[in-house]
Amino acid sequence: MVKIGFGSVGDSFSPASIKSYVAEFIATLLFVFAGVGSAIAYNKLTSDAALDPPGLVAVAVAHAFALFVGVSMAANISGGHLNPAVTFGLAIGGNITILTGLFYWIAQCLGSIVACFLLSFVTNGLAVPTHGVAAGQSALQGVVMEIVITFALVYTVYATAADPKKGSIGIIAPIAIGFIVGANILAAGPFSGGSMNPARSFGPAVASGNFADNWIYWVGPLIGGGLAGLIYGDVFIGAHSPVPVSDDYAA
């Protein structure tokens, strides 16, 4: 059975942990800046706020590339989560303590918020797009979509990075994680927006002052990430040592 560890204040405020929070802040900031920036840039170039097929592909590719780089740059310091749902899934699987995970959440959300305010400034006040379910879709459908695609993301994280039996496959973890995010945006973008990341949705909501439907991008991804951590941790990893387990992904 997986073991969830609450952690201690001393561990959560150790020099290594503080460096991890800074790394998560910087990497999430750069990821969101590129991801949200790609949507703003496409809207400016086309003078059309609607997400058409070329725009969907452009945004998916930008997110995939940016996440691949973000995970790679932070992996050796914080594990390169860049996503509260990933952190939560790893906590459920016993790879990071709950207390340290909460500080990861704060760093990730602050990074996203700063990125979106920076985008608003450098684009001379262009609108920062927020996530929302498509017309004709219900909130429940949006939640279920986010559960499924976030499950796929966190399951990929476990399979390529957090599984202690992963072997040499761990070297392709950032590529696989970036690819699954890009693929999921292509699949879910026209329906739920394809967030998979509460911080990615929270930053634009704060910068725009529009929190409509934002709860969907907390509930769905956290459920999906938690299920992936529970299932992969129990079924495929099984009994293992208490946190931390993976030296190159979990903090």
Side-chain angles (χ1 to χ4, degrees):
M1 295 291 292
V2 296
K3 297 180 180 179
I4 300 174
F6 181 78
S8 66
V9 173
D11 288 340
S12 295
F13 284 97
S14 68
S17 293
I18 293 173
K19 288 179 181 178
S20 294
Y21 308 148
V22 175
E24 285 292 304
F25 170 81
I26 294 173
T28 306
L29 188 160
L30 297 177
F31 162 63
V32 174
F33 189 91
V36 177
S38 70
I40 295 175
Y42 187 82
N43 290 341
K44 178 177 174 59
L45 292 173
T46 60
S47 300
D48 183 4
L51 184 65
D52 57 13
L56 177 63
V57 173
V59 170
V61 170
H63 280 77
F65 284 175
L67 187 59
F68 160 62
V69 174
V71 171
S72 298
M73 70 172 62
N76 292 331
I77 304 171
S78 65
H81 299 190
L82 284 68
N83 183 340
V86 170
T87 301
F88 183 65
L90 289 170
I92 292 296
N95 289 269
I96 184 173
T97 64
I98 296 295
L99 186 58
T100 298
L102 289 175
F103 288 111
Y104 267 51
W105 281 21
I106 294 171
Q108 292 156 356
C109 288
L110 285 176
S112 180
I113 291 169
V114 171
C116 292
F117 276 113
L118 282 173
L119 282 167
S120 181
F121 174 73
V122 300
T123 60
N124 199 28
L126 289 180
V128 177
T130 59
H131 279 127
V133 296
Q137 299 290 124
S138 69
L140 178 59
Q141 289 171 323
V143 169
V144 173
M145 178 69 85
E146 291 295 319
I147 290 173
V148 174
I149 60 178
T150 310
F151 179 92
L153 167 60
V154 178
Y155 194 92
T156 301
V157 168
Y158 264 94
T160 62
D163 190 333
K165 302 185 294 294
K166 65 184 182 300
S168 60
I169 196 173
I171 63 175
I172 69 166
I175 299 175
I177 293 166
F179 277 9
I180 191 63
V181 165
N184 281 342
I185 290 174
L186 290 174
F191 303 101
S192 70
S195 172
M196 299 162 276
N197 186 334
R200 164 63 181 81
S201 298
F202 186 67
V206 172
S208 66
N210 179 12
F211 289 91
D213 293 335
N214 189 252
W215 65 271
I216 293 172
Y217 306 102
W218 284 91
V219 174
L222 291 179
I223 292 175
L227 285 173
L230 185 64
I231 292 173
Y232 200 101
D234 265 349
V235 176
F236 297 109
I237 295 179
H240 61 277
S241 301
V243 295
V245 171
S246 176
D247 292 334
D248 64 346
Y249 202 82

